[in-house]
Amino acid sequence: MRTSPSATFTSTGTPCFYIHPVEAAHGDLGLVGEEDVVMFISKSGMSDEFRQLYPSLGRLKVPIIAMTGNRSSFLAEHSH
């Protein structure tokens, strides 16, 4: 059985929730506030979804943490 990263954080008492990137682009990003941190996990770091969400995340001024297998990817270069 696999456990989601958000379930792991929640089990430690750290408030956390998962948003699918497509759903985030269609309104769920409204759940993210200035006090939040966004974590992306992507093998390639080159997903179109992240590229589409990046401008909105910039406007929210939230820190972005990346876990990716590609250090020269768009995701890696645009995370904190």
Side-chain angles (χ1 to χ4, degrees), residues 16-42:
C16 185
F17 57 92
Y18 170 83
I19 301 176
H20 189 278
V22 173
E23 293 169 355
H26 290 95
D28 283 1
L29 200 58
L31 297 168
V32 178
E34 290 180 354
E35 69 283 354
D36 293 321
V37 174
V38 175
M39 180 187 305
F40 283 94
I41 303 171
S42 170

PDB file of all heavy atoms in Angstrom, residues 16-42:
ATOM      1  N   CYS A  16      -1.778  19.615   5.837  1.00  0.00           N
ATOM      2  CA  CYS A  16      -1.344  19.354   4.466  1.00  0.00           C
ATOM      3  C   CYS A  16      -2.524  18.844   3.648  1.00  0.00           C
ATOM      4  O   CYS A  16      -3.394  18.156   4.170  1.00  0.00           O
ATOM      5  CB  CYS A  16      -0.230  18.302   4.495  1.00  0.00           C
ATOM      6  SG  CYS A  16       0.511  17.981   2.897  1.00  0.00           S
ATOM      7  N   PHE A  17      -2.564  19.195   2.372  1.00  0.00           N
ATOM      8  CA  PHE A  17      -3.575  18.628   1.484  1.00  0.00           C
ATOM      9  C   PHE A  17      -2.995  18.498   0.091  1.00  0.00           C
ATOM     10  O   PHE A  17      -2.043  19.175  -0.268  1.00  0.00           O
ATOM     11  CB  PHE A  17      -4.867  19.450   1.472  1.00  0.00           C
ATOM     12  CG  PHE A  17      -4.692  20.896   1.097  1.00  0.00           C
ATOM     13  CD1 PHE A  17      -4.813  21.302  -0.220  1.00  0.00           C
ATOM     14  CD2 PHE A  17      -4.414  21.851   2.062  1.00  0.00           C
ATOM     15  CE1 PHE A  17      -4.658  22.635  -0.569  1.00  0.00           C
ATOM     16  CE2 PHE A  17      -4.259  23.182   1.728  1.00  0.00           C
ATOM     17  CZ  PHE A  17      -4.385  23.571   0.399  1.00  0.00           C
ATOM     18  N   TYR A  18      -3.563  17.581  -0.676  1.00  0.00           N
ATOM     19  CA  TYR A  18      -3.122  17.292  -2.037  1.00  0.00           C
ATOM     20  C   TYR A  18      -4.065  17.981  -3.011  1.00  0.00           C
ATOM     21  O   TYR A  18      -5.282  17.931  -2.832  1.00  0.00           O
ATOM     22  CB  TYR A  18      -3.143  15.776  -2.274  1.00  0.00           C
ATOM     23  CG  TYR A  18      -2.944  15.393  -3.719  1.00  0.00           C
ATOM     24  CD1 TYR A  18      -1.674  15.302  -4.251  1.00  0.00           C
ATOM     25  CD2 TYR A  18      -4.027  15.137  -4.544  1.00  0.00           C
ATOM     26  CE1 TYR A  18      -1.475  14.965  -5.572  1.00  0.00           C
ATOM     27  CE2 TYR A  18      -3.843  14.794  -5.873  1.00  0.00           C
ATOM     28  CZ  TYR A  18      -2.576  14.711  -6.384  1.00  0.00           C
ATOM     29  OH  TYR A  18      -2.389  14.371  -7.695  1.00  0.00           O
ATOM     30  N   ILE A  19      -3.492  18.615  -4.010  1.00  0.00           N
ATOM     31  CA  ILE A  19      -4.287  19.197  -5.101  1.00  0.00           C
ATOM     32  C   ILE A  19      -3.733  18.647  -6.403  1.00  0.00           C
ATOM     33  O   ILE A  19      -2.534  18.781  -6.674  1.00  0.00           O
ATOM     34  CB  ILE A  19      -4.191  20.741  -5.149  1.00  0.00           C
ATOM     35  CG1 ILE A  19      -4.661  21.367  -3.854  1.00  0.00           C
ATOM     36  CG2 ILE A  19      -5.011  21.276  -6.319  1.00  0.00           C
ATOM     37  CD1 ILE A  19      -4.493  22.879  -3.824  1.00  0.00           C
ATOM     38  N   HIS A  20      -4.590  18.061  -7.205  1.00  0.00           N
ATOM     39  CA  HIS A  20      -4.179  17.603  -8.530  1.00  0.00           C
ATOM     40  C   HIS A  20      -3.890  18.830  -9.385  1.00  0.00           C
ATOM     41  O   HIS A  20      -4.635  19.821  -9.338  1.00  0.00           O
ATOM     42  CB  HIS A  20      -5.291  16.761  -9.153  1.00  0.00           C
ATOM     43  CG  HIS A  20      -4.869  16.080 -10.410  1.00  0.00           C
ATOM     44  ND1 HIS A  20      -4.866  16.715 -11.620  1.00  0.00           N
ATOM     45  CD2 HIS A  20      -4.409  14.827 -10.616  1.00  0.00           C
ATOM     46  CE1 HIS A  20      -4.422  15.878 -12.548  1.00  0.00           C
ATOM     47  NE2 HIS A  20      -4.149  14.717 -11.958  1.00  0.00           N
ATOM     48  N   PRO A  21      -2.808  18.833 -10.167  1.00  0.00           N
ATOM     49  CA  PRO A  21      -2.437  20.027 -10.937  1.00  0.00           C
ATOM     50  C   PRO A  21      -3.527  20.523 -11.889  1.00  0.00           C
ATOM     51  O   PRO A  21      -3.708  21.732 -12.047  1.00  0.00           O
ATOM     52  CB  PRO A  21      -1.199  19.611 -11.729  1.00  0.00           C
ATOM     53  CG  PRO A  21      -0.801  18.288 -11.234  1.00  0.00           C
ATOM     54  CD  PRO A  21      -1.854  17.751 -10.336  1.00  0.00           C
ATOM     55  N   VAL A  22      -4.258  19.620 -12.494  1.00  0.00           N
ATOM     56  CA  VAL A  22      -5.325  20.041 -13.416  1.00  0.00           C
ATOM     57  C   VAL A  22      -6.456  20.706 -12.635  1.00  0.00           C
ATOM     58  O   VAL A  22      -6.990  21.731 -13.059  1.00  0.00           O
ATOM     59  CB  VAL A  22      -5.838  18.842 -14.248  1.00  0.00           C
ATOM     60  CG1 VAL A  22      -7.044  19.234 -15.084  1.00  0.00           C
ATOM     61  CG2 VAL A  22      -4.726  18.298 -15.138  1.00  0.00           C
ATOM     62  N   GLU A  23      -6.786  20.150 -11.478  1.00  0.00           N
ATOM     63  CA  GLU A  23      -7.827  20.758 -10.646  1.00  0.00           C
ATOM     64  C   GLU A  23      -7.365  22.106 -10.093  1.00  0.00           C
ATOM     65  O   GLU A  23      -8.158  23.031  -9.957  1.00  0.00           O
ATOM     66  CB  GLU A  23      -8.205  19.805  -9.516  1.00  0.00           C
ATOM     67  CG  GLU A  23      -8.887  18.547 -10.022  1.00  0.00           C
ATOM     68  CD  GLU A  23      -9.027  17.475  -8.954  1.00  0.00           C
ATOM     69  OE1 GLU A  23      -8.514  17.670  -7.831  1.00  0.00           O
ATOM     70  OE2 GLU A  23      -9.633  16.445  -9.259  1.00  0.00           O
ATOM     71  N   ALA A  24      -6.082  22.231  -9.790  1.00  0.00           N
ATOM     72  CA  ALA A  24      -5.541  23.505  -9.318  1.00  0.00           C
ATOM     73  C   ALA A  24      -5.723  24.579 -10.383  1.00  0.00           C
ATOM     74  O   ALA A  24      -6.072  25.722 -10.077  1.00  0.00           O
ATOM     75  CB  ALA A  24      -4.070  23.357  -8.953  1.00  0.00           C
ATOM     76  N   ALA A  25      -5.491  24.209 -11.621  1.00  0.00           N
ATOM     77  CA  ALA A  25      -5.631  25.163 -12.725  1.00  0.00           C
ATOM     78  C   ALA A  25      -7.089  25.572 -12.950  1.00  0.00           C
ATOM     79  O   ALA A  25      -7.349  26.599 -13.565  1.00  0.00           O
ATOM     80  CB  ALA A  25      -5.064  24.566 -14.009  1.00  0.00           C
ATOM     81  N   HIS A  26      -8.017  24.780 -12.423  1.00  0.00           N
ATOM     82  CA  HIS A  26      -9.435  25.072 -12.614  1.00  0.00           C
ATOM     83  C   HIS A  26     -10.128  25.501 -11.330  1.00  0.00           C
ATOM     84  O   HIS A  26     -11.317  25.293 -11.149  1.00  0.00           O
ATOM     85  CB  HIS A  26     -10.139  23.853 -13.224  1.00  0.00           C
ATOM     86  CG  HIS A  26      -9.751  23.617 -14.639  1.00  0.00           C
ATOM     87  ND1 HIS A  26      -8.757  22.733 -14.980  1.00  0.00           N
ATOM     88  CD2 HIS A  26     -10.168  24.178 -15.790  1.00  0.00           C
ATOM     89  CE1 HIS A  26      -8.599  22.748 -16.291  1.00  0.00           C
ATOM     90  NE2 HIS A  26      -9.437  23.618 -16.804  1.00  0.00           N
ATOM     91  N   GLY A  27      -9.380  26.103 -10.406  1.00  0.00           N
ATOM     92  CA  GLY A  27     -10.009  26.708  -9.245  1.00  0.00           C
ATOM     93  C   GLY A  27      -9.509  26.249  -7.896  1.00  0.00           C
ATOM     94  O   GLY A  27      -9.619  26.989  -6.917  1.00  0.00           O
ATOM     95  N   ASP A  28      -8.994  25.030  -7.784  1.00  0.00           N
ATOM     96  CA  ASP A  28      -8.578  24.547  -6.469  1.00  0.00           C
ATOM     97  C   ASP A  28      -7.358  25.276  -5.924  1.00  0.00           C
ATOM     98  O   ASP A  28      -7.074  25.186  -4.725  1.00  0.00           O
ATOM     99  CB  ASP A  28      -8.300  23.044  -6.498  1.00  0.00           C
ATOM    100  CG  ASP A  28      -9.569  22.208  -6.496  1.00  0.00           C
ATOM    101  OD1 ASP A  28     -10.669  22.808  -6.486  1.00  0.00           O
ATOM    102  OD2 ASP A  28      -9.470  20.974  -6.497  1.00  0.00           O
ATOM    103  N   LEU A  29      -6.654  26.027  -6.746  1.00  0.00           N
ATOM    104  CA  LEU A  29      -5.501  26.789  -6.259  1.00  0.00           C
ATOM    105  C   LEU A  29      -5.946  27.862  -5.268  1.00  0.00           C
ATOM    106  O   LEU A  29      -5.146  28.372  -4.495  1.00  0.00           O
ATOM    107  CB  LEU A  29      -4.746  27.420  -7.430  1.00  0.00           C
ATOM    108  CG  LEU A  29      -3.309  27.829  -7.168  1.00  0.00           C
ATOM    109  CD1 LEU A  29      -2.477  26.646  -6.710  1.00  0.00           C
ATOM    110  CD2 LEU A  29      -2.706  28.434  -8.411  1.00  0.00           C
ATOM    111  N   GLY A  30      -7.227  28.144  -5.252  1.00  0.00           N
ATOM    112  CA  GLY A  30      -7.777  29.090  -4.282  1.00  0.00           C
ATOM    113  C   GLY A  30      -7.644  28.611  -2.851  1.00  0.00           C
ATOM    114  O   GLY A  30      -7.795  29.396  -1.920  1.00  0.00           O
ATOM    115  N   LEU A  31      -7.351  27.335  -2.655  1.00  0.00           N
ATOM    116  CA  LEU A  31      -7.132  26.789  -1.316  1.00  0.00           C
ATOM    117  C   LEU A  31      -5.760  27.163  -0.753  1.00  0.00           C
ATOM    118  O   LEU A  31      -5.524  27.035   0.440  1.00  0.00           O
ATOM    119  CB  LEU A  31      -7.254  25.262  -1.341  1.00  0.00           C
ATOM    120  CG  LEU A  31      -8.618  24.694  -1.720  1.00  0.00           C
ATOM    121  CD1 LEU A  31      -8.510  23.200  -1.990  1.00  0.00           C
ATOM    122  CD2 LEU A  31      -9.614  24.969  -0.610  1.00  0.00           C
ATOM    123  N   VAL A  32      -4.862  27.620  -1.618  1.00  0.00           N
ATOM    124  CA  VAL A  32      -3.482  27.923  -1.222  1.00  0.00           C
ATOM    125  C   VAL A  32      -3.390  29.385  -0.806  1.00  0.00           C
ATOM    126  O   VAL A  32      -3.821  30.277  -1.535  1.00  0.00           O
ATOM    127  CB  VAL A  32      -2.500  27.633  -2.380  1.00  0.00           C
ATOM    128  CG1 VAL A  32      -1.071  27.985  -1.988  1.00  0.00           C
ATOM    129  CG2 VAL A  32      -2.601  26.182  -2.821  1.00  0.00           C
ATOM    130  N   GLY A  33      -2.806  29.617   0.367  1.00  0.00           N
ATOM    131  CA  GLY A  33      -2.656  30.977   0.876  1.00  0.00           C
ATOM    132  C   GLY A  33      -1.202  31.363   1.027  1.00  0.00           C
ATOM    133  O   GLY A  33      -0.293  30.536   0.877  1.00  0.00           O
ATOM    134  N   GLU A  34      -0.959  32.623   1.352  1.00  0.00           N
ATOM    135  CA  GLU A  34       0.405  33.150   1.481  1.00  0.00           C
ATOM    136  C   GLU A  34       1.230  32.427   2.534  1.00  0.00           C
ATOM    137  O   GLU A  34       2.456  32.401   2.454  1.00  0.00           O
ATOM    138  CB  GLU A  34       0.367  34.647   1.804  1.00  0.00           C
ATOM    139  CG  GLU A  34      -0.109  35.501   0.667  1.00  0.00           C
ATOM    140  CD  GLU A  34      -0.126  36.980   1.030  1.00  0.00           C
ATOM    141  OE1 GLU A  34       0.136  37.311   2.210  1.00  0.00           O
ATOM    142  OE2 GLU A  34      -0.403  37.786   0.141  1.00  0.00           O
ATOM    143  N   GLU A  35       0.589  31.844   3.527  1.00  0.00           N
ATOM    144  CA  GLU A  35       1.308  31.166   4.601  1.00  0.00           C
ATOM    145  C   GLU A  35       1.679  29.724   4.251  1.00  0.00           C
ATOM    146  O   GLU A  35       2.342  29.041   5.027  1.00  0.00           O
ATOM    147  CB  GLU A  35       0.479  31.177   5.892  1.00  0.00           C
ATOM    148  CG  GLU A  35      -0.759  30.302   5.849  1.00  0.00           C
ATOM    149  CD  GLU A  35      -1.949  30.874   5.064  1.00  0.00           C
ATOM    150  OE1 GLU A  35      -1.913  32.024   4.608  1.00  0.00           O
ATOM    151  OE2 GLU A  35      -2.925  30.130   4.888  1.00  0.00           O
ATOM    152  N   ASP A  36       1.284  29.268   3.072  1.00  0.00           N
ATOM    153  CA  ASP A  36       1.514  27.886   2.651  1.00  0.00           C
ATOM    154  C   ASP A  36       2.829  27.716   1.904  1.00  0.00           C
ATOM    155  O   ASP A  36       3.453  28.689   1.471  1.00  0.00           O
ATOM    156  CB  ASP A  36       0.364  27.400   1.756  1.00  0.00           C
ATOM    157  CG  ASP A  36      -0.940  27.286   2.519  1.00  0.00           C
ATOM    158  OD1 ASP A  36      -0.909  26.861   3.689  1.00  0.00           O
ATOM    159  OD2 ASP A  36      -1.987  27.626   1.946  1.00  0.00           O
ATOM    160  N   VAL A  37       3.233  26.477   1.755  1.00  0.00           N
ATOM    161  CA  VAL A  37       4.379  26.062   0.950  1.00  0.00           C
ATOM    162  C   VAL A  37       3.855  25.034  -0.033  1.00  0.00           C
ATOM    163  O   VAL A  37       3.048  24.181   0.330  1.00  0.00           O
ATOM    164  CB  VAL A  37       5.481  25.433   1.834  1.00  0.00           C
ATOM    165  CG1 VAL A  37       6.599  24.865   0.988  1.00  0.00           C
ATOM    166  CG2 VAL A  37       6.018  26.444   2.827  1.00  0.00           C
ATOM    167  N   VAL A  38       4.301  25.098  -1.275  1.00  0.00           N
ATOM    168  CA  VAL A  38       3.869  24.140  -2.297  1.00  0.00           C
ATOM    169  C   VAL A  38       5.027  23.197  -2.601  1.00  0.00           C
ATOM    170  O   VAL A  38       6.155  23.648  -2.820  1.00  0.00           O
ATOM    171  CB  VAL A  38       3.406  24.867  -3.575  1.00  0.00           C
ATOM    172  CG1 VAL A  38       3.076  23.875  -4.672  1.00  0.00           C
ATOM    173  CG2 VAL A  38       2.208  25.748  -3.275  1.00  0.00           C
ATOM    174  N   MET A  39       4.738  21.909  -2.604  1.00  0.00           N
ATOM    175  CA  MET A  39       5.750  20.908  -2.931  1.00  0.00           C
ATOM    176  C   MET A  39       5.321  20.166  -4.197  1.00  0.00           C
ATOM    177  O   MET A  39       4.218  19.636  -4.263  1.00  0.00           O
ATOM    178  CB  MET A  39       5.915  19.893  -1.798  1.00  0.00           C
ATOM    179  CG  MET A  39       6.971  18.845  -2.104  1.00  0.00           C
ATOM    180  SD  MET A  39       7.081  17.489  -0.911  1.00  0.00           S
ATOM    181  CE  MET A  39       7.308  18.344   0.615  1.00  0.00           C
ATOM    182  N   PHE A  40       6.204  20.161  -5.179  1.00  0.00           N
ATOM    183  CA  PHE A  40       5.975  19.406  -6.415  1.00  0.00           C
ATOM    184  C   PHE A  40       6.903  18.208  -6.440  1.00  0.00           C
ATOM    185  O   PHE A  40       8.087  18.332  -6.115  1.00  0.00           O
ATOM    186  CB  PHE A  40       6.271  20.269  -7.646  1.00  0.00           C
ATOM    187  CG  PHE A  40       5.197  21.254  -7.977  1.00  0.00           C
ATOM    188  CD1 PHE A  40       5.257  22.546  -7.501  1.00  0.00           C
ATOM    189  CD2 PHE A  40       4.130  20.889  -8.783  1.00  0.00           C
ATOM    190  CE1 PHE A  40       4.280  23.462  -7.811  1.00  0.00           C
ATOM    191  CE2 PHE A  40       3.146  21.802  -9.094  1.00  0.00           C
ATOM    192  CZ  PHE A  40       3.209  23.092  -8.611  1.00  0.00           C
ATOM    193  N   ILE A  41       6.383  17.073  -6.840  1.00  0.00           N
ATOM    194  CA  ILE A  41       7.179  15.869  -7.020  1.00  0.00           C
ATOM    195  C   ILE A  41       7.021  15.446  -8.468  1.00  0.00           C
ATOM    196  O   ILE A  41       5.914  15.172  -8.928  1.00  0.00           O
ATOM    197  CB  ILE A  41       6.723  14.744  -6.074  1.00  0.00           C
ATOM    198  CG1 ILE A  41       6.782  15.210  -4.629  1.00  0.00           C
ATOM    199  CG2 ILE A  41       7.568  13.493  -6.291  1.00  0.00           C
ATOM    200  CD1 ILE A  41       6.154  14.263  -3.630  1.00  0.00           C
ATOM    201  N   SER A  42       8.128  15.444  -9.204  1.00  0.00           N
ATOM    202  CA  SER A  42       8.084  15.138 -10.631  1.00  0.00           C
ATOM    203  C   SER A  42       9.407  14.516 -11.058  1.00  0.00           C
ATOM    204  O   SER A  42      10.473  15.077 -10.778  1.00  0.00           O
ATOM    205  CB  SER A  42       7.838  16.419 -11.433  1.00  0.00           C
ATOM    206  OG  SER A  42       8.017  16.206 -12.816  1.00  0.00           O
TER     207      SER A  42
END
